[in-house]
Structures are given as C-alpha cells and as structure tokens.
Amino acid sequence: MFIRILQGRVADPAGVRAELERWRREVAPDVPGWQRLTAGVTEDRELVALFRYAGRATAGIGLAGQAAWERAVGRHLDGPATWHDCTQVYAMKGGDADDAGFVQVVQGRLADPVRLAAARVEVERTLRERAPHVLGVLVAEHADEPGGFTEVSYVTSRHEARAAERAMPVDVAVQLGMVRSYVEGLRFVELREVLLARPAVPVP
C-alpha cells in the first residue's frame, strides 16, 4: 500500500471540491493502482486529501494528467501545497469504510516507534472489541519527513465519536495515554463534508 497526502490552506473551498471530483472522474481512471480517495476541509480551511494506491509504482506519479491536476488544484489554495509520500502504511479494522460519516485526522512525530509498533496489535484488538463507532484506521508514515505520520480514523458519526469519548472506560483511556506517550507534537483536525471515493466496480 502507498499513500500520498495533500495539504494546503484553502482559498476557494468550492473550487477545491470541484477539482477533487474532477480528479476522481478524469485523472483516477488512468491510474491503475488507485484504491481510495479521502478528502475534506477543516473548519479553519485546511485541505487534507489522502490518495491511496496499491503501491508506489502504480500511483501515476509523473503522469501528465496528474501534474496538470496538481497545478489546477493549487490555484484554489492560499499558498503552496504540501505533499507527503508514505510507503509505510498500517491499517486497522480494514483501514477505511465507505459508510463513514466522520473522519478524524491526527498528525505528529514518532517519539518511540519500537514501542508503538509493539502496542499496535493490542490497540487493534481494543478497536475491534470496544470501539464499534470506529470503522477503520490508517496510519501513514511520511517518507519525506523522518518520524512524521498521519493517522486517519473513519468513524460512524461525529455524535457517536463524542459520545464514545465521554464514556471511555478507564482501562481504554490508560491504553490511549500509553500510545500517545510514544508520539509527540500531536495535532488533531476534523474533516467536514468528506469526499470518500474508490474505483467503480466493473459491471460483468
């Protein structure tokens, strides 16, 4: 699995949304490895878009259509775009879900990647057994930024996410605190009007 992450301050939300829809319609069909697009704009107008592929070789990097699209979407941003290429990607509970109603994003730096990797199995067990509102989680490490990562959680709804936070059992809170101690500089954002798209299933 390979993920490219696009971020930037948005000057024209409607223009950005139109370009994302155009990428799905016009650019993605020429990219054989495309698996998923997750994109949205935060309350303070920051675009976060994850393009998920089967691998780097099938991500269409360098294609004329992709390059032209990147220039086009950049015209709707207030400043330069930032791209993160991620070759190390970890999926929990299947990674993502078509029926997610809410997407949470966490970014930061790995302070203790060895302990974090060791804890990942227990974290996924907790998610499967005690967090039905979490449909899937992707953790992508930034190849261009040593230690940097983006974590994306696909959740049933904002309401259920807030309810789960208020009713979190003590032992789950302790586990979460332990995991958070293995990272630093955490930044939390929420995506609004999320675009979730994947290739259409061919009709026999």
Side-chain angles (χ1 to χ4, degrees):
M1 189 189 307
F2 175 68
I3 286 179
R4 300 195 79 206
I5 302 171
L6 167 63
Q7 292 182 250
R9 194 64 54 186
V10 175
D12 178 6
V16 165
R17 179 79 181 198
E19 284 298 334
L20 289 167
E21 292 283 4
R22 188 173 71 82
W23 184 90
R24 179 180 60 82
R25 294 192 314 270
E26 301 178 10
V27 180
D30 293 329
V31 182
W34 174 52
Q35 295 181 335
R36 158 75 79 181
L37 168 63
T38 300
V41 177
T42 68
E43 189 172 41
D44 62 348
R45 289 197 168 191
E46 180 184 6
L47 167 67
V48 181
L50 284 86
F51 301 83
R52 173 175 164 175
Y53 306 93
R56 185 184 181 91
T58 59
I61 299 174
L63 290 178
Q66 176 68 25
W69 180 84
E70 290 180 18
R71 290 192 296 272
V73 75
R75 289 195 285 269
H76 301 291
L77 301 179
D78 185 11
T82 298
W83 285 91
H84 296 296
D85 287 354
C86 308
T87 55
Q88 293 292 326
V89 181
Y90 306 95
M92 290 182 278
K93 293 187 75 173
D96 54 26
D98 290 319
D99 52 353
F102 181 49
V103 175
Q104 297 173 308
V105 179
V106 180
Q107 292 185 308
R109 296 182 61 81
L110 302 174
D112 194 336
V114 174
R115 288 186 177 180
L116 184 61
R120 194 166 282 125
V121 172
E122 286 301 319
V123 170
E124 180 163 14
R125 180 177 293 114
T126 297
L127 289 174
R128 289 187 178 280
E129 296 178 355
R130 307 179 68 176
H133 64 290
V134 178
L135 302 174
V137 178
L138 286 174
V139 182
E141 297 183 8
H142 305 167
D144 59 299
E145 181 188 16
F149 74 91
T150 297
E151 175 186 293
V152 182
S153 296
Y154 298 82
V155 186
T156 51
S157 70
R158 180 180 286 105
H159 172 75
E160 292 189 10
R162 295 291 182 264
E165 290 169 2
R166 291 192 297 269
M168 185 180 296
V170 173
D171 60 327
V172 175
V174 169
Q175 183 188 62
L176 177 61
M178 177 190 69
V179 170
R180 293 305 187 210
S181 73
Y182 301 152
V183 295
E184 59 188 12
L186 292 182
R187 175 172 171 267
F188 300 80
V189 299
E190 299 175 353
L191 303 187
R192 300 176 181 274
E193 297 184 6
V194 181
L195 172 62
L196 297 176
R198 66 169 68 246
V201 178
V203 178

